[in-house]
Each structure stands twice: as C-alpha cells, then as structure tokens.
Amino acid sequence: MIALAGAVQAAPAIQIGVVLAGSGLDFWAPMSKGMHRAADDLHVELVMRSPSDGTSLGAQPNIQLRMLDYLVKSGVAGIVLAPEPLQDVATPVSLAVPTVFVDRSSTDYNAISTVSTDNFAAGRTAALSLVPVLHKGARIAVLRLAPTISSTTAREEGFLSVAREMEWRVVIAPYVGYQFRETEARVRKVLSGDIGRLDAVFAPNETTAYGALHVVEEMPVSTRPRLVVFDWRPEFLGALERSTIYADIVQDPYRMGYQAVETLFAALQGHAPRPKLFVDVVTVTRANMNDPAIHAVIANYSR
C-alpha cells in the first residue's frame, strides 16, 4: 500500500502497565473500571497483568515481580502497582520506569506516589461507629487478615487505637487469612467459644467480612454481636437491611484506580506527584444506605 502524500500517522498511545494484588475479589472490579475510564480520558493504553487473589502470599511468591519484569521489557512507560510482599529478594526493588502504588504502600519497591484509603483513619472510623452503642469494658473481636498486608494492618491498628481509648476489652484478635473458605472456617472456630459474650466484631477486608457475616448469621439473633465490616459485596446490602451488619466502611476503588492512572500519567508529562493521595471512605448503615452519595460509591461495584 502506498501512503498518501501528506498523510499524518497517529503517534502510538502511551502504554501503562498495571499489576494488582488479585482479580477475583469484588474490590478489584471497580478499581479496574476506574483505571480504564482514566485511560480512555487520557488516551493511554493499559496493559494489565494481575495474579489470582492470594497467589503471591501462598503458592507463587514473587509472582508480581515476574509480571513487572514482563511489563518493563514489553516497553510500558510506567506502572501502577498494588504491591504484595516479596520473599527472599533484596529490597527495595527499583523498577526501570516510574511506579505508582495503589490501594496500599510498600517498602519492597520504590514508588513516586501512593493512592489509597487512609487506612489507619478508616479503621478508627470503623471503631467510632460503635462508640454510641458500646460501654466501657465491652468485649471485642478483631479478625486480622495477615501480618504482611500493610493496608489491613493499618485498619486493624486504627480500630484498636479507639478500642484502647474507649477501654473496650479486645478478647479475640487472631489472623484468619485471606481465602474465603479457610477464613470462614477460622472465624467460626475463633468465635465459637464466645457466642453470646461478644459485643462487637470488626472484619477489616472483604474476605474476613464475608466469613464473619456467615458465622454471625448462624448465631441466635439475641446473641449476635454488632458486626462492623470493611469493603463491599452485594450480599452486604441485605445484611444491612436485616441489621446483621451494623456498619460497613466502604472504600472507593473506582476513584482510587482513576487517580492512580491520572497521577502516573501526569508524572510522565513532567509534573511532580504528591507522595500520598487519600481517597475517602463512606460509612454505610441501615439508616443511610439509600442516600445518593452512598449509592454512587456502591454502584461502581457492579460488574
């Protein structure tokens, strides 16, 4: 084919690599949606490579690092990364292209910015939702996720800081894991000895919340503790309506994903990014679940 004289070929789109920490949890779908919307608005191309949920923490440690290596070698201009902890690797790892963290921070990689929830503050928000209904000495369970995940650890510590201030008794605080079935089984085991004696339970992420909800639903209504959860799943709506869930602290992963791509793109254009950008959470309760602002955040979770 002979090119027409004077024809101008469009420059190839900037490619941005994305490696999240999973793909199956409901949390990742709106984040991906926000990233794709930002890519469309900014006329860049996303190249996404994400492991299955929990793979990096179990069967395939450092799988993200191999994905990152592939993306750099394929020529992406920058990377958005939801980092999982590395094992037996010299850290911090410096990637050959600018990197923006999303959802969580990490000391395992060098990054120019982090776009996330203020997780310590959000953990405090979760606990503060209970202040009007709990008394000094109230018995609390905190269902920790895993010690190596910075985002949930910060939420747990934020919740515990309020518990100390209010002089609640944290009688259960185990690590219950990140896989749905195993987590639910562990939650059932750790709560079984305190049925009827717990005043509240805090579950700091989607998997712990899912397991805690199922276990609490099995308890007689008169013995159920107030359940405060983090993140969103469709079944949480009915649980809020039935008051099985007392409060749900819901992140905005759509905005998080959009702003992470936007921040990286601006950096590639020469604009220095802010080191930390926090995206607000909303506290969903039975009383406010029909508010337009709440609906706007939850709507982004639909696939």
Side-chain angles (χ1 to χ4, degrees):
M1 179 180 293
I2 300 174
L4 296 176
V8 178
Q9 293 187 351
I14 293 173
Q15 288 191 325
I16 288 176
V18 177
V19 178
L20 302 180
S23 55
L25 292 179
D26 283 13
F27 178 79
W28 300 120
M31 180 175 287
S32 297
K33 191 187 301 184
M35 289 178 169
H36 282 288
R37 178 55 188 267
D40 289 343
D41 290 348
L42 298 169
H43 307 292
V44 300
E45 180 182 341
L46 297 186
V47 183
M48 302 189 76
R49 295 288 186 275
S50 299
S52 299
D53 299 277
T55 302
S56 303
L57 304 177
Q60 298 184 62
N62 303 336
I63 187 173
Q64 280 189 325
L65 195 56
R66 296 193 290 275
M67 292 176 172
L68 293 167
D69 182 62
Y70 164 82
L71 290 173
V72 171
K73 288 178 178 176
S74 71
V76 299
I79 288 173
V80 176
L81 171 65
E84 298 265 62
L86 296 173
Q87 297 182 29
D88 303 319
V89 173
T91 58
V93 173
S94 292
L95 301 174
V97 295
T99 301
V100 169
F101 290 148
V102 67
D103 178 54
R104 62 191 71 173
S105 60
S106 174
T107 58
D108 285 347
Y109 299 90
N110 290 320
I112 59 173
S113 182
T114 301
V115 181
S116 69
T117 295
D118 184 340
N119 284 292
F120 185 85
R124 287 186 59 85
T125 296
L128 289 169
S129 73
L130 290 165
V131 168
V133 294
L134 294 187
H135 54 82
K136 178 180 176 180
R139 293 170 59 86
I140 308 295
V142 177
L143 303 173
R144 290 177 173 266
L145 180 69
T148 53
I149 305 300
S150 61
S151 54
T152 49
T153 296
R155 289 171 212 161
E156 294 153 10
E157 292 304 321
F159 187 97
L160 290 168
S161 71
V162 173
R164 288 190 291 270
E165 292 166 12
M166 302 307 299
E167 298 184 62
W168 300 335
R169 294 175 58 204
V170 180
V171 296
I172 298 173
Y175 289 106
V176 295
Y178 45 83
Q179 299 287 1
F180 282 103
R181 288 185 179 180
E182 292 84 348
T183 296
E184 183 175 336
R186 289 171 185 155
V187 171
R188 183 172 287 105
K189 182 177 180 180
V190 300
L191 296 186
S192 62
D194 281 270
I195 293 176
R197 297 192 297 157
L198 282 173
D199 295 295
V201 174
F202 175 52
N205 85 313
E206 184 179 336
T207 53
T208 56
Y210 178 86
L213 174 59
H214 284 192
V215 172
V216 169
E217 283 180 324
E218 295 170 359
M219 299 177 183
V221 174
S222 62
T223 67
R224 290 177 181 174
R226 288 181 172 88
L227 176 59
V228 177
V229 301
F230 219 93
D231 291 331
W232 183 259
R233 291 180 61 85
E235 56 265 44
F236 293 176
L237 182 63
L240 283 160
E241 291 173 340
R242 299 187 301 273
S243 298
T244 312
I245 290 178
Y246 177 76
D248 187 353
I249 313 304
V250 181
Q251 301 184 86
D252 193 341
Y254 180 93
R255 280 187 60 204
M256 218 181 289
Y258 192 104
Q259 290 188 8
V261 172
E262 187 178 50
T263 297
L264 179 56
F265 179 78
L268 294 173
Q269 305 306 307
H271 304 287
R274 289 161 53 191
K276 291 183 182 295
L277 288 87
F278 289 134
V279 176
D280 292 340
V281 297
V282 295
T283 301
V284 186
T285 65
R286 185 179 180 182
N288 72 4
M289 59 194 298
N290 293 315
D291 289 358
I294 300 294
H295 271 291
V297 174
I298 292 173
N300 285 321
Y301 279 81
S302 60
R303 288 182 180 266

